[in-house]
Amino acid sequence: MEVPDLKMMQKPFSSQEQQAKERHLISEAAAGNGKAFEQLYQLYFNRLYQFIFRINRHHDCIEEIINDVMYVVWEKAATYDQTCRPSTWILGIAYLKSLKSAKKNTKREDESVEFNDELDYFPDRGARWVSQVEDSNWLEAALEKLSAEQRAVVEMTYFQGLHYSEISEIMQCPENTVKTRMFHARKILAKFFLELNSRS
Amino acid sequence: MLSTQIKLTNQSEHQKAWDLLPWYINRSLGPVEHAIVKNHIRTCITCRIELNLQERLFKKIQQTDLLQQVSHASFAQLKKRIETHPEVSISNKCTVSNKDLIFFPFQLQFLGFVKYTALAASLLLLAAPFMLNSWVIQPEMEGAYRTLANSSESTDNTNNIVRIVFADQPDSEQIEVIVNSVSGHIIKGPSPNGVYEVQIGNHQTDTQQVNDAIFRLRDHASVIFAELAQGLSVSE
Ligand SMILES: [Zn+2]
C-alpha cells in the first residue's frame, strides 16, 4: 500500500514549536534537570538512530554512538549558545561521531575482508545467492555505493528535510561542497532507481 | 522582473536550479530560491526530467521502512562474512571455524539464526547474571561475608555450581526434571536473563561428576547453555 504523501508535506523536525521545546529542554538539562534531559533523549533517539545508521551502515554500535552523542549534549548543554537550531547542534555532534565510526568500520572491513563490491551486491554472479537485487534492497545497494559524506547529505536532505545551509553547518563544510556531494549521490541513486524500474 | 529572468535562462542559472532541486523537493528552500527553481523548470526540460526522477526517488526513499533497511544491511554484513569463508560449508559450519563463534563454548546445531541472535544477547549478560543484586547486597553483608565459616563454604560451593540457560522457557516441572536428572537442585534463578544456578550433588561431589553433569545437560535439547559458574563470575 502507498504511504500517503502527507509525510512529505510537513517538516516534522523543524517546526518553531519543536525548536522552542528543544531549546527549553537543553537549558533545563544545562541546569542539571535529568528528567528534561531524558525527554530530549527520547525525542532524539529515533531520529539519531536513523541518522547514524544511514551514515555508518552498521547496526551494531548505534546505541553506543547515540549515548556518546547525548553524553556530549548533557555535558555541554550549558555551552549551547542558541544561535543554531538545537537539531543542528545535536546532529552535528552525531555526524562527527558516526563518521568516525563509519571510517573505523570501513578500515576494519578493508583490512580483514577481501570482497568484490559488485559481486557482493549483484550476487547472481556468485550463484549462491538470490539472483537479483530485490525491490526493497535497491536503496541499500545504492547507499552502499556512496561515501559516508554523500550518504550523510542524502540522509539530511531526503530523510531529515534540512536545507543545504543547515547541512553545511552540521558537516562544517562549504555549502558548495554539500551541493557537490548531493550531485554525485543523486546520480548514483538515480542509476540504481532506474535500473530497478526497468526491471519491473 | 520575473519574466526577464526567465528569458535570461543560461547555463549558470540552469546549474543553480539543477543543484537546488533536492531542496526544492524537500521544501526547505526560502522564497527566493524556491522562485528561482520554480521559474527555471518552466522552461528547462532537462531540469524537469531530473525533478521528476528525483521526486520519485524521494518518495520511494521516504517509503522505505527503516527496520527493513536495517535488516538488509545486517544481512549484507552476514553475507559478506559467510562469503569470505567459502571453505566453511553448510554441513561443517557448526564446527565453529569462524573466530567470532569460538566465544560460545557449546554446539550450535539446533539453533536457528533467530535463536542464535537472541541467545547472543543474553549470553553477553551471562558472565554476570546476578551482578546487580550482588552488587547491591554486598556492601551490607561484607562484614558477615568475611567470617571463616562463610568464606570456606562459599569457596566449596562454587566448584559444583553450574549456570544453565534453558531453551524456549520450559515450565518449572520440566526444569525440575532436567535438574534432578543430574542430581542437581536450583539454588538461584532465574535471573532476569533466564539464567539458573544449579548445585550438582552436595559439597562432596567431585569435578568429574560435575563435568559429567554439564555434558549431560548440554546434550539435553532444552538446555542451550551449561557452564561451571566458577569460571564465569567471582562475585558470588
Ligand atoms: Zn535546467
Side-chain angles (χ1 to χ4, degrees):
Chain A
M1 276 284 96
E2 295 281 297
V3 176
D5 277 8
L6 189 74
K7 201 172 157 191
M8 297 168 0
M9 304 304 284
Q10 26 169 270
K11 289 188 281 158
F13 299 128
S14 51
S15 73
Q16 291 298 323
E17 294 151 74
Q18 182 70 16
Q19 280 186 53
K21 185 180 173 186
E22 290 172 14
R23 283 179 204 279
H24 171 71
L25 291 175
I26 292 172
S27 64
E28 283 294 304
N33 182 343
K35 277 263 177 294
F37 178 65
E38 191 180 343
Q39 256 190 67
L40 187 70
Y41 184 95
Q42 305 297 357
L43 210 59
Y44 266 86
F45 188 88
N46 283 354
R47 191 176 182 185
L48 285 173
Y49 194 100
Q50 170 177 321
F51 182 79
I52 296 164
F53 169 73
R54 294 224 170 87
I55 293 173
N56 79 4
R57 319 301 302 149
H58 279 260
H59 171 59
D60 37 6
C61 51
I62 296 180
E63 281 151 37
E64 211 176 292
I65 301 173
I66 292 177
N67 283 0
D68 281 354
V69 172
M70 292 310 282
Y71 180 77
V72 174
V73 170
W74 169 256
E75 287 287 304
K76 301 281 177 188
T79 64
Y80 170 63
D81 64 1
Q82 311 263 346
T83 50
C84 65
R85 291 177 183 186
S87 59
T88 307
W89 180 50
I90 297 174
L91 291 180
I93 301 167
Y95 173 68
L96 293 175
K97 296 263 182 205
S98 36
L99 203 61
K100 219 187 271 177
S101 150
K103 300 270 187 235
K104 211 163 62 191
N105 280 327
T106 320
K107 214 174 147 205
R108 198 179 62 197
E109 269 167 19
D110 287 349
E111 281 166 359
S112 63
V113 167
E114 279 175 37
F115 68 93
N116 181 325
D117 262 348
E118 298 291 329
L119 245 180
D120 198 55
Y121 277 107
F122 294 97
D124 39 337
R125 280 188 267 155
R128 276 201 290 139
W129 300 94
V130 255
S131 61
Q132 29 169 261
V133 178
E134 292 163 51
D135 250 41
S136 47
N137 236 341
W138 76 274
L139 183 59
E140 181 55 36
L143 287 173
E144 191 73 16
K145 292 285 176 202
L146 308 181
S147 70
E149 288 86 354
Q150 290 167 344
R151 279 199 298 268
V153 176
V154 172
E155 158 66 22
M156 287 187 264
T157 305
Y158 281 166
F159 292 97
Q160 311 256 353
L162 304 181
H163 186 262
Y164 62 83
S165 64
E166 205 181 347
I167 299 173
S168 87
E169 248 182 284
I170 290 171
M171 299 181 87
Q172 295 176 11
C173 68
E175 289 177 354
N176 269 339
T177 307
V178 174
K179 289 178 186 166
T180 311
R181 283 172 179 163
M182 189 62 184
F183 175 82
H184 293 297
R186 57 196 247 217
K187 238 171 39 187
I188 294 171
L189 288 175
K191 181 176 158 271
F192 274 78
F193 183 59
L194 290 173
E195 206 167 299
L196 171 80
N197 283 356
S198 70
R199 257 205 310 266
S200 54
Chain B
M1 172 74 196
L2 279 180
S3 61
T4 36
Q5 256 182 357
I6 294 166
K7 280 174 200 153
L8 283 173
T9 299
N10 56 30
Q11 192 54 33
S12 81
E13 192 192 276
H14 166 75
Q15 195 57 50
K16 189 172 170 62
W18 175 278
D19 284 344
L20 289 177
L21 286 175
W23 295 281
Y24 180 78
I25 293 167
N26 83 0
R27 308 167 78 91
S28 66
L29 292 181
V32 176
E33 287 181 322
H34 184 86
I36 291 174
V37 177
K38 202 173 169 192
N39 288 316
H40 174 76
I41 54 178
R42 272 188 207 145
T43 54
C44 178
I45 185 78
T46 318
C47 280
R48 268 216 306 273
I49 293 170
E50 173 70 5
L51 176 67
N52 179 274
L53 172 66
Q54 290 296 322
E55 260 174 344
R56 280 161 59 210
L57 188 64
F58 177 62
K59 274 184 199 168
K60 192 89 186 165
I61 285 177
Q62 292 255 320
Q63 285 165 10
T64 309
D65 176 40
L66 180 68
L67 195 61
Q68 199 182 50
Q69 232 194 306
V70 169
S71 79
H72 283 307
S74 295
F75 185 70
Q77 285 170 43
L78 173 63
K79 204 172 79 177
K80 238 179 253 174
R81 200 152 102 189
I82 296 170
E83 281 177 345
T84 48
H85 295 273
E87 74 281 6
V88 185
S89 73
I90 302 295
S91 61
N92 69 8
K93 72 169 191 252
C94 298
T95 55
V96 197
S97 62
N98 190 321
K99 261 187 195 158
D100 293 350
L101 294 178
I102 284 171
F103 167 68
F104 303 104
F106 53 90
Q107 295 183 316
L108 290 165
Q109 290 95 319
F110 51 87
L111 296 176
F113 272 111
V114 175
K115 223 181 196 176
Y116 170 80
T117 313
L119 175 66
S122 65
L123 282 185
L124 284 177
L125 297 163
L126 193 76
F130 303 105
M131 195 177 76
L132 194 62
N133 61 26
S134 67
W135 184 51
V136 174
I137 292 165
Q138 219 168 331
E140 285 172 24
M141 50 180 291
E142 215 173 4
Y145 190 73
R146 288 194 179 165
T147 64
L148 280 173
N150 269 351
S151 67
S152 69
E153 193 194 11
S154 74
T155 326
D156 279 346
N157 274 353
T158 53
N159 291 332
N160 60 345
I161 291 171
V162 175
R163 288 205 174 132
I164 303 174
V165 179
F166 294 96
D168 305 319
Q169 293 160 337
D171 59 40
S172 51
E173 239 180 75
Q174 284 170 278
I175 289 176
E176 193 81 2
V177 171
I178 297 168
V179 170
N180 284 341
S181 73
V182 293
S183 329
H185 63 274
I186 295 168
I187 55 168
K188 205 183 239 183
S191 76
N193 316 312
V195 184
Y196 288 81
E197 284 197 1
V198 170
Q199 183 169 21
I200 307 297
N202 53 36
H203 62 280
Q204 284 169 332
T205 312
D206 66 27
T207 320
Q208 187 53 47
Q209 285 170 293
V210 176
N211 285 341
D212 284 349
I214 290 173
F215 282 120
R216 288 216 303 282
L217 284 166
R218 286 178 190 168
D219 272 346
H220 205 289
S222 298
V223 175
I224 52 175
F225 181 91
E227 199 69 70
L228 207 56
Q230 203 181 30
L232 291 172
S233 166
V234 288
S235 67
E236 279 299 305

